[in-house]
Amino acid sequence: MSPVSLELTNAHACFGGAQRFYQHASREIGLPMKFSVYLPPQALQGATVPALVYLAGLTCNEETFMTKAGAQRLAAGLGLALVAPDTSPRGAGVPGEADSWDFGVGAGFYLDATQAPWQPHWRMESYLTRELLPLLGQQLPIDLERVGIFGHSMGGHGALTLALRHPGLFKSLSAFAPIAAPTQCPWGRKAFAGYLGSDEAQWRNHDASALMAAQPTAPYPGGILIDQGLADKFLTDKQLLPEAFEAACARVRQPLTLRRQAGYDHGYYFIQSFIDDHLRHHAAALG
């Protein structure tokens, strides 16, 4: 198999490192995919560095985190690469896709769909775990033995579920306002019905709370960090349900720091406020 060709679409100097944006033809998605990478100064000087994969939420893309979260300054100091893939396939021509970026219609949800019309291209789990990560290790100075994962909202769901579904792949884990129990909330039930069909037993395979409750032992003995804003309207609307994940962690004695932050909502001002704590959480685990 010939090497995948990465097209560098944009690049900027940033805190002594490099902020880059790439696209490539994806074999798993069957469409072009985009992602962004921040390489810290250490990587530009020849070191192979640990990396954090950030999964964004609905309406976001590969640029959102890099332009809004304010993570590069500390990542440069810690020697961490940051990777942010796009959230979803684009341009598949599925009816309603362009008009209805809504859960169950368009948003990737970080799983492999089994139902028409989504099944051919909506393969975000395979894309991330089987294609993008190996590609990063092959073509960029990233140490695949030291990779952590985190995310926000739909991406927080993705981070938690992919970490639990792929033991050992990600060495550290955190989330901002994740959809923590999607089988129990309207967003998740709509998405799962569209992507996975009517068998709710299959849905549980992509529900972070159900996956954690089924663990025989704590999968992250060094701890998981979650921040949740208490002024988040989606928390009030029972779309996020962090208490379900908290109960599942307690059941299997998984150390969890769930910080309920008064006054903070669901947006990137919230993420900016606590991003440094998450970077340090991962850096401590990745070394």
Side-chain angles (χ1 to χ4, degrees):
M1 184 179 297
S2 60
V4 173
S5 176
L6 285 182
E7 178 187 354
L8 181 65
T9 61
N10 213 337
H12 309 273
C14 186
F15 296 110
Q19 179 61 61
R20 298 177 181 176
F21 297 88
Y22 291 98
Q23 68 178 15
H24 68 104
S26 168
R27 68 171 188 272
E28 291 290 347
I29 301 295
L31 294 166
M33 288 295 290
K34 296 180 179 181
F35 66 94
S36 59
V37 177
Y38 175 69
L39 293 175
Q42 297 87 339
L44 301 187
Q45 295 162 7
T48 301
V49 298
L52 299 184
V53 176
Y54 175 86
L55 305 183
L58 181 68
T59 75
C60 298
N61 59 29
E62 76 285 353
E63 297 181 6
T64 312
F65 175 78
M66 297 301 184
T67 57
K68 291 187 174 182
Q72 291 94 334
R73 183 191 297 271
L74 183 57
L78 294 173
L80 290 173
L82 304 172
V83 179
D86 199 355
T87 65
S88 314
R90 310 276 178 176
V94 173
E97 172 195 346
D99 301 324
S100 306
W101 278 81
D102 192 358
F103 289 112
V105 184
F109 231 76
Y110 302 105
L111 50 72
D112 289 357
T114 61
Q115 305 298 304
W118 313 107
Q119 186 274 335
H121 300 294
W122 269 252
R123 296 178 48 79
M124 289 301 295
E125 179 173 7
S126 289
Y127 170 68
L128 292 168
T129 61
R130 298 172 55 185
E131 184 172 7
L132 182 59
L133 279 180
L135 184 61
L136 295 172
Q138 292 162 9
Q139 301 206 23
L140 294 172
I142 287 175
D143 182 358
L144 295 185
E145 295 301 313
R146 295 187 292 161
V147 177
I149 191 168
F150 67 148
H152 171 231
S153 192
M154 180 182 74
H157 144 80
L160 295 176
T161 57
L162 293 183
L164 294 172
R165 284 173 56 80
H166 298 273
L169 187 60
F170 301 104
K171 303 303 190 295
S172 56
L173 176 60
S174 74
F176 293 93
I179 303 170
T183 61
Q184 301 177 44
C185 74
W187 279 348
R189 293 184 65 81
K190 180 178 181 180
F192 287 173
Y195 291 143
L196 302 174
S198 60
D199 183 359
E200 295 194 17
Q202 296 300 317
W203 299 4
R204 293 178 62 82
N205 294 329
H206 300 276
D207 181 304
S209 296
L211 288 167
M212 181 59 78
Q215 298 295 310
T217 59
Y220 286 90
I224 298 169
L225 173 62
I226 292 177
D227 275 301
Q228 173 62 61
L230 292 181
D232 186 332
K233 65 179 181 179
F234 301 124
L235 177 68
T236 305
D237 291 345
K238 302 296 183 183
Q239 296 283 17
L240 305 177
L241 303 173
E243 65 274 11
F245 189 73
E246 184 177 40
C249 287
R251 179 174 176 177
V252 300
R253 298 184 178 180
Q254 166 61 53
L256 171 68
T257 301
L258 172 54
R259 305 192 304 187
R260 294 172 168 90
Q261 305 288 5
Y264 286 89
D265 60 22
H266 198 70
Y268 269 80
Y269 295 114
F270 160 60
I271 292 174
Q272 289 174 19
S273 299
F274 302 105
I275 188 66
D276 285 4
D277 293 343
H278 285 250
L279 296 188
R280 291 191 176 99
H281 165 81
H282 289 276
L286 299 176

